[in-house]
Amino acid sequence: MTTTDDSRGAAVAASVGAAAPDQGGRYTLRSISRAIDALDVLASADASMSVSDVARALGASKSTAFAILQTLEERNLVSSAGEGFQRRYTLGLGLARLGHRAVSRVSMLDAAMPHLERLTKITKLSSRVATMSQGIAVVLGQVDGPNSIRFDLNMGGRERLHCTGIGKAILGRYTDEEVVDLAEQTGLPKRTAYTITSIDALLVDVAKVRERGFSVDDEEDAEGVLCIGAPLIDHTGACAGGISVTGLKVSLSVERVFRVGEAVIAAAEAISQRMGAPK
């Protein structure tokens, strides 16, 4: 093994935390665990790796590392180039196929509901999740707050982006040009005396959303009601929708709005990670 191989294997081993063969549950298969460790090693490397690199990172013999890599390559989970001592290994495209299938089977609603339940428990406010559809937010699910007040969160309904917590959270992920285009396409109809009805005012508000990380619907969709929202990011890095909490404005001081806003951001980030959002 060359000095370069030594340093590369050692660096990767440090980054993934060299395999701990004695760890695992009662039903853990060591061979499968080692194979997954090998994939993690290759994923952490900045360049393709030799068998010696992988063996050092795994804390295994070259023969064991070779057998693992050959098995993974047969299933297209690893690919290689070169011959003999020059042969180098990288992740295979079979992983991309599996990853795509995994992401496609995680629905936004399934990913969101456990976190909405926790968010409602923490904030004591009703929460909901909505997706984007043709420039409109469509509510997919909700969790009612613990108090006696029940808000009509318009399940399955279509909501404007310029006057709702989820809508403005989504707009915060768009460029100013995209916000203007959407506003011109859908209009800015007035819902209450507090609804933003000019593009210039909307752009100012959206800038605040980007700065804070969360949006505020301050009686803009319904008088006496305040909503706080944050965007949801999917596996492509695009904004796929958003979540929000809803409560009576009289119960939400400025200080509480910011505390709740942080909780909403945290929930949105957790849901986005479940949906495969890039870190």
Tab-separated table of all heavy atoms in Angstrom, residues 187-231:
chain	number	residue	atom	x	y	z
A	187	GLY	N	-53.410	37.110	-8.869
A	187	GLY	CA	-54.017	38.281	-8.255
A	187	GLY	C	-53.779	38.297	-6.747
A	187	GLY	O	-53.289	37.317	-6.171
A	188	LEU	N	-54.130	39.409	-6.098
A	188	LEU	CA	-53.978	39.564	-4.658
A	188	LEU	C	-55.316	39.997	-4.050
A	188	LEU	O	-55.464	41.106	-3.534
A	188	LEU	CB	-52.885	40.593	-4.336
A	188	LEU	CG	-51.490	40.333	-4.911
A	188	LEU	CD1	-50.570	41.513	-4.616
A	188	LEU	CD2	-50.908	39.041	-4.359
A	189	PRO	N	-56.301	39.123	-4.110
A	189	PRO	CA	-57.640	39.490	-3.621
A	189	PRO	C	-57.648	39.786	-2.117
A	189	PRO	O	-56.926	39.160	-1.342
A	189	PRO	CB	-58.488	38.256	-3.945
A	189	PRO	CG	-57.513	37.126	-4.034
A	189	PRO	CD	-56.269	37.723	-4.598
A	190	LYS	N	-58.477	40.732	-1.752
A	190	LYS	CA	-58.579	41.156	-0.355
A	190	LYS	C	-59.486	40.216	0.420
A	190	LYS	O	-60.631	39.970	0.039
A	190	LYS	CB	-59.128	42.583	-0.303
A	190	LYS	CG	-59.093	43.216	1.068
A	190	LYS	CD	-59.492	44.680	0.979
A	190	LYS	CE	-59.383	45.366	2.327
A	190	LYS	NZ	-59.696	46.815	2.248
A	191	ARG	N	-58.965	39.688	1.538
A	191	ARG	CA	-59.735	38.780	2.383
A	191	ARG	C	-60.230	39.480	3.648
A	191	ARG	O	-61.314	39.203	4.136
A	191	ARG	CB	-58.866	37.575	2.767
A	191	ARG	CG	-58.410	36.736	1.581
A	191	ARG	CD	-59.435	35.732	1.182
A	191	ARG	NE	-59.642	34.745	2.236
A	191	ARG	CZ	-60.616	33.835	2.237
A	191	ARG	NH1	-61.492	33.816	1.242
A	191	ARG	NH2	-60.741	32.968	3.230
A	192	THR	N	-59.391	40.347	4.190
A	192	THR	CA	-59.758	41.144	5.365
A	192	THR	C	-59.185	42.546	5.185
A	192	THR	O	-58.516	42.843	4.183
A	192	THR	CB	-59.168	40.549	6.665
A	192	THR	OG1	-57.748	40.794	6.694
A	192	THR	CG2	-59.424	39.050	6.777
A	193	ALA	N	-59.390	43.373	6.179
A	193	ALA	CA	-58.853	44.736	6.123
A	193	ALA	C	-57.322	44.735	6.202
A	193	ALA	O	-56.681	45.753	5.904
A	193	ALA	CB	-59.428	45.569	7.272
A	194	TYR	N	-56.737	43.590	6.575
A	194	TYR	CA	-55.285	43.522	6.769
A	194	TYR	C	-54.561	42.772	5.643
A	194	TYR	O	-53.346	42.626	5.684
A	194	TYR	CB	-54.980	42.824	8.102
A	194	TYR	CG	-55.664	43.476	9.276
A	194	TYR	CD1	-56.848	42.943	9.796
A	194	TYR	CD2	-55.156	44.635	9.852
A	194	TYR	CE1	-57.494	43.546	10.871
A	194	TYR	CE2	-55.794	45.241	10.925
A	194	TYR	CZ	-56.964	44.690	11.428
A	194	TYR	OH	-57.605	45.289	12.482
A	195	THR	N	-55.287	42.313	4.652
A	195	THR	CA	-54.676	41.560	3.555
A	195	THR	C	-53.760	42.443	2.726
A	195	THR	O	-54.109	43.580	2.397
A	195	THR	CB	-55.760	40.971	2.629
A	195	THR	OG1	-56.660	40.171	3.395
A	195	THR	CG2	-55.132	40.115	1.536
A	196	ILE	N	-52.595	41.916	2.388
A	196	ILE	CA	-51.672	42.619	1.490
A	196	ILE	C	-52.225	42.541	0.074
A	196	ILE	O	-52.477	41.441	-0.444
A	196	ILE	CB	-50.269	41.980	1.550
A	196	ILE	CG1	-49.658	42.188	2.934
A	196	ILE	CG2	-49.360	42.558	0.466
A	196	ILE	CD1	-48.348	41.455	3.143
A	197	THR	N	-52.406	43.701	-0.550
A	197	THR	CA	-53.014	43.726	-1.886
A	197	THR	C	-52.144	44.405	-2.942
A	197	THR	O	-52.589	44.590	-4.069
A	197	THR	CB	-54.381	44.433	-1.839
A	197	THR	OG1	-54.216	45.745	-1.305
A	197	THR	CG2	-55.370	43.648	-0.988
A	198	SER	N	-50.919	44.764	-2.581
A	198	SER	CA	-50.014	45.359	-3.572
A	198	SER	C	-48.754	44.515	-3.667
A	198	SER	O	-48.290	43.946	-2.658
A	198	SER	CB	-49.639	46.796	-3.201
A	198	SER	OG	-48.660	46.826	-2.175
A	199	ILE	N	-48.200	44.416	-4.865
A	199	ILE	CA	-47.014	43.598	-5.073
A	199	ILE	C	-45.824	44.137	-4.286
A	199	ILE	O	-45.052	43.372	-3.700
A	199	ILE	CB	-46.682	43.509	-6.572
A	199	ILE	CG1	-47.753	42.675	-7.294
A	199	ILE	CG2	-45.300	42.893	-6.788
A	199	ILE	CD1	-47.550	42.543	-8.792
A	200	ASP	N	-45.675	45.469	-4.240
A	200	ASP	CA	-44.553	46.054	-3.500
A	200	ASP	C	-44.609	45.671	-2.025
A	200	ASP	O	-43.597	45.287	-1.420
A	200	ASP	CB	-44.556	47.577	-3.641
A	200	ASP	CG	-44.137	48.041	-5.034
A	200	ASP	OD1	-43.527	47.217	-5.756
A	200	ASP	OD2	-44.407	49.196	-5.384
A	201	ALA	N	-45.793	45.769	-1.425
A	201	ALA	CA	-45.938	45.409	-0.005
A	201	ALA	C	-45.698	43.919	0.201
A	201	ALA	O	-45.119	43.501	1.218
A	201	ALA	CB	-47.331	45.801	0.488
A	202	LEU	N	-46.118	43.112	-0.760
A	202	LEU	CA	-45.911	41.664	-0.650
A	202	LEU	C	-44.421	41.338	-0.681
A	202	LEU	O	-43.950	40.498	0.093
A	202	LEU	CB	-46.632	40.940	-1.787
A	202	LEU	CG	-46.520	39.413	-1.794
A	202	LEU	CD1	-47.102	38.816	-0.518
A	202	LEU	CD2	-47.216	38.824	-3.028
A	203	LEU	N	-43.674	41.992	-1.547
A	203	LEU	CA	-42.236	41.750	-1.635
A	203	LEU	C	-41.530	42.132	-0.336
A	203	LEU	O	-40.594	41.448	0.096
A	203	LEU	CB	-41.638	42.519	-2.814
A	203	LEU	CG	-42.038	42.018	-4.203
A	203	LEU	CD1	-41.470	42.943	-5.282
A	203	LEU	CD2	-41.563	40.586	-4.425
A	204	VAL	N	-41.978	43.214	0.294
A	204	VAL	CA	-41.401	43.616	1.578
A	204	VAL	C	-41.671	42.537	2.629
A	204	VAL	O	-40.789	42.167	3.404
A	204	VAL	CB	-41.981	44.972	2.038
A	204	VAL	CG1	-41.571	45.273	3.481
A	204	VAL	CG2	-41.509	46.090	1.124
A	205	ASP	N	-42.899	42.024	2.640
A	205	ASP	CA	-43.265	41.000	3.620
A	205	ASP	C	-42.505	39.703	3.370
A	205	ASP	O	-42.043	39.048	4.319
A	205	ASP	CB	-44.771	40.745	3.562
A	205	ASP	CG	-45.254	39.947	4.757
A	205	ASP	OD1	-45.352	40.525	5.851
A	205	ASP	OD2	-45.513	38.737	4.595
A	206	VAL	N	-42.355	39.319	2.115
A	206	VAL	CA	-41.638	38.089	1.768
A	206	VAL	C	-40.168	38.195	2.172
A	206	VAL	O	-39.560	37.206	2.604
A	206	VAL	CB	-41.789	37.774	0.264
A	206	VAL	CG1	-40.831	36.652	-0.151
A	206	VAL	CG2	-43.224	37.380	-0.056
A	207	ALA	N	-39.598	39.383	2.046
A	207	ALA	CA	-38.208	39.597	2.474
A	207	ALA	C	-38.067	39.338	3.974
A	207	ALA	O	-37.065	38.774	4.434
A	207	ALA	CB	-37.758	41.012	2.132
A	208	LYS	N	-39.079	39.728	4.751
A	208	LYS	CA	-39.060	39.467	6.197
A	208	LYS	C	-39.166	37.970	6.488
A	208	LYS	O	-38.548	37.468	7.424
A	208	LYS	CB	-40.212	40.210	6.874
A	208	LYS	CG	-40.093	41.728	6.829
A	208	LYS	CD	-41.312	42.379	7.474
A	208	LYS	CE	-41.225	43.904	7.406
A	208	LYS	NZ	-42.427	44.553	7.985
A	209	VAL	N	-39.938	37.274	5.667
A	209	VAL	CA	-40.062	35.817	5.816
A	209	VAL	C	-38.694	35.160	5.630
A	209	VAL	O	-38.280	34.300	6.415
A	209	VAL	CB	-41.068	35.238	4.800
A	209	VAL	CG1	-41.064	33.717	4.849
A	209	VAL	CG2	-42.465	35.776	5.071
A	210	ARG	N	-37.983	35.570	4.596
A	210	ARG	CA	-36.657	35.000	4.338
A	210	ARG	C	-35.710	35.294	5.493
A	210	ARG	O	-34.902	34.448	5.884
A	210	ARG	CB	-36.084	35.570	3.039
A	210	ARG	CG	-36.896	35.248	1.787
A	210	ARG	CD	-36.189	35.734	0.539
A	210	ARG	NE	-37.013	35.626	-0.647
A	210	ARG	CZ	-37.423	36.661	-1.370
A	210	ARG	NH1	-37.075	37.899	-1.027
A	210	ARG	NH2	-38.188	36.461	-2.429
A	211	GLU	N	-35.782	36.504	6.030
A	211	GLU	CA	-34.888	36.910	7.115
A	211	GLU	C	-35.165	36.128	8.405
A	211	GLU	O	-34.241	35.670	9.077
A	211	GLU	CB	-35.040	38.410	7.375
A	211	GLU	CG	-34.129	38.954	8.466
A	211	GLU	CD	-34.305	40.441	8.682
A	211	GLU	OE1	-34.999	41.095	7.862
A	211	GLU	OE2	-33.768	40.961	9.679
A	212	ARG	N	-36.453	35.959	8.734
A	212	ARG	CA	-36.828	35.258	9.970
A	212	ARG	C	-36.737	33.753	9.844
A	212	ARG	O	-36.472	33.050	10.805
A	212	ARG	CB	-38.272	35.614	10.362
A	212	ARG	CG	-38.514	37.010	10.844
A	212	ARG	CD	-39.933	37.116	11.381
A	212	ARG	NE	-40.923	36.732	10.397
A	212	ARG	CZ	-41.754	37.565	9.776
A	212	ARG	NH1	-41.703	38.855	10.037
A	212	ARG	NH2	-42.621	37.119	8.893
A	213	GLY	N	-37.055	33.248	8.640
A	213	GLY	CA	-37.146	31.804	8.442
A	213	GLY	C	-38.560	31.292	8.601
A	213	GLY	O	-38.837	30.131	8.322
A	214	PHE	N	-39.472	32.125	9.035
A	214	PHE	CA	-40.885	31.744	9.151
A	214	PHE	C	-41.766	32.914	8.726
A	214	PHE	O	-41.348	34.069	8.722
A	214	PHE	CB	-41.231	31.302	10.581
A	214	PHE	CG	-41.109	32.380	11.638
A	214	PHE	CD1	-42.162	33.244	11.905
A	214	PHE	CD2	-39.940	32.517	12.365
A	214	PHE	CE1	-42.049	34.228	12.879
A	214	PHE	CE2	-39.815	33.494	13.339
A	214	PHE	CZ	-40.870	34.359	13.597
A	215	SER	N	-42.997	32.584	8.348
A	215	SER	CA	-43.946	33.597	7.885
A	215	SER	C	-44.990	33.870	8.954
A	215	SER	O	-45.203	33.062	9.863
A	215	SER	CB	-44.653	33.115	6.608
A	215	SER	OG	-45.404	31.942	6.904
A	216	VAL	N	-45.651	35.021	8.833
A	216	VAL	CA	-46.734	35.378	9.744
A	216	VAL	C	-47.920	35.889	8.933
A	216	VAL	O	-47.785	36.820	8.143
A	216	VAL	CB	-46.302	36.457	10.749
A	216	VAL	CG1	-47.474	36.855	11.644
A	216	VAL	CG2	-45.134	35.975	11.593
A	217	ASP	N	-49.048	35.246	9.111
A	217	ASP	CA	-50.319	35.725	8.566
A	217	ASP	C	-51.024	36.418	9.731
A	217	ASP	O	-51.582	35.770	10.605
A	217	ASP	CB	-51.123	34.540	8.032
A	217	ASP	CG	-52.644	34.799	7.999
A	217	ASP	OD1	-53.050	35.969	8.057
A	217	ASP	OD2	-53.389	33.807	7.924
A	218	ASP	N	-50.955	37.737	9.743
A	218	ASP	CA	-51.463	38.542	10.854
A	218	ASP	C	-52.862	39.058	10.522
A	218	ASP	O	-53.022	40.188	10.054
A	218	ASP	CB	-50.501	39.703	11.125
A	218	ASP	CG	-50.811	40.432	12.425
A	218	ASP	OD1	-51.810	40.080	13.087
A	218	ASP	OD2	-50.064	41.371	12.769
A	219	GLU	N	-53.865	38.209	10.704
A	219	GLU	CA	-55.260	38.534	10.407
A	219	GLU	C	-55.484	38.845	8.925
A	219	GLU	O	-56.440	39.519	8.575
A	219	GLU	CB	-55.734	39.731	11.238
A	219	GLU	CG	-55.697	39.529	12.730
A	219	GLU	CD	-56.343	40.691	13.478
A	219	GLU	OE1	-57.580	40.652	13.705
A	219	GLU	OE2	-55.606	41.635	13.819
A	220	GLU	N	-54.635	38.320	8.071
A	220	GLU	CA	-54.725	38.637	6.643
A	220	GLU	C	-55.694	37.736	5.888
A	220	GLU	O	-56.180	38.104	4.813
A	220	GLU	CB	-53.327	38.558	6.019
A	220	GLU	CG	-52.359	39.587	6.589
A	220	GLU	CD	-50.908	39.210	6.368
A	220	GLU	OE1	-50.551	38.926	5.206
A	220	GLU	OE2	-50.136	39.184	7.349
A	221	ASP	N	-55.963	36.558	6.455
A	221	ASP	CA	-56.905	35.629	5.823
A	221	ASP	C	-58.216	35.553	6.603
A	221	ASP	O	-59.266	35.291	6.021
A	221	ASP	CB	-56.276	34.236	5.721
A	221	ASP	CG	-57.092	33.296	4.846
A	221	ASP	OD1	-57.487	33.702	3.746
A	221	ASP	OD2	-57.321	32.154	5.279
A	222	ALA	N	-58.147	35.779	7.903
A	222	ALA	CA	-59.332	35.782	8.761
A	222	ALA	C	-59.072	36.709	9.947
A	222	ALA	O	-58.030	36.599	10.600
A	222	ALA	CB	-59.649	34.365	9.250
A	223	GLU	N	-59.989	37.592	10.220
A	223	GLU	CA	-59.795	38.559	11.302
A	223	GLU	C	-59.763	37.848	12.658
A	223	GLU	O	-60.544	36.933	12.919
A	223	GLU	CB	-60.891	39.613	11.260
A	223	GLU	CG	-60.780	40.530	10.056
A	223	GLU	CD	-61.742	41.711	10.121
A	223	GLU	OE1	-62.317	41.955	11.195
A	223	GLU	OE2	-61.904	42.383	9.092
A	224	GLY	N	-58.825	38.289	13.489
A	224	GLY	CA	-58.676	37.722	14.817
A	224	GLY	C	-57.833	36.465	14.868
A	224	GLY	O	-57.571	35.938	15.941
A	225	VAL	N	-57.382	35.968	13.694
A	225	VAL	CA	-56.620	34.718	13.615
A	225	VAL	C	-55.215	34.998	13.101
A	225	VAL	O	-55.022	35.756	12.148
A	225	VAL	CB	-57.323	33.709	12.676
A	225	VAL	CG1	-56.478	32.443	12.527
A	225	VAL	CG2	-58.712	33.372	13.213
A	226	LEU	N	-54.227	34.374	13.732
A	226	LEU	CA	-52.830	34.541	13.327
A	226	LEU	C	-52.227	33.168	13.024
A	226	LEU	O	-52.457	32.211	13.765
A	226	LEU	CB	-52.050	35.232	14.441
A	226	LEU	CG	-50.633	35.719	14.113
A	226	LEU	CD1	-50.310	36.998	14.878
A	226	LEU	CD2	-49.596	34.651	14.423
A	227	CYS	N	-51.489	33.081	11.931
A	227	CYS	CA	-50.833	31.834	11.523
A	227	CYS	C	-49.339	32.057	11.368
A	227	CYS	O	-48.905	33.135	10.943
A	227	CYS	CB	-51.402	31.311	10.206
A	227	CYS	SG	-53.150	30.911	10.252
A	228	ILE	N	-48.567	31.040	11.695
A	228	ILE	CA	-47.107	31.086	11.568
A	228	ILE	C	-46.682	29.879	10.746
A	228	ILE	O	-47.039	28.741	11.081
A	228	ILE	CB	-46.444	31.045	12.953
A	228	ILE	CG1	-46.937	32.213	13.812
A	228	ILE	CG2	-44.920	31.065	12.824
A	228	ILE	CD1	-46.599	32.086	15.276
A	229	GLY	N	-45.952	30.102	9.660
A	229	GLY	CA	-45.631	29.009	8.745
A	229	GLY	C	-44.159	28.898	8.400
A	229	GLY	O	-43.365	29.814	8.640
A	230	ALA	N	-43.791	27.757	7.835
A	230	ALA	CA	-42.431	27.502	7.350
A	230	ALA	C	-42.513	26.558	6.153
A	230	ALA	O	-43.438	25.747	6.058
A	230	ALA	CB	-41.552	26.906	8.454
A	231	PRO	N	-41.554	26.656	5.232
A	231	PRO	CA	-41.606	25.847	4.011
A	231	PRO	C	-41.109	24.425	4.197
A	231	PRO	O	-40.342	24.126	5.115
A	231	PRO	CB	-40.678	26.625	3.064
A	231	PRO	CG	-39.653	27.214	3.984
A	231	PRO	CD	-40.406	27.588	5.229
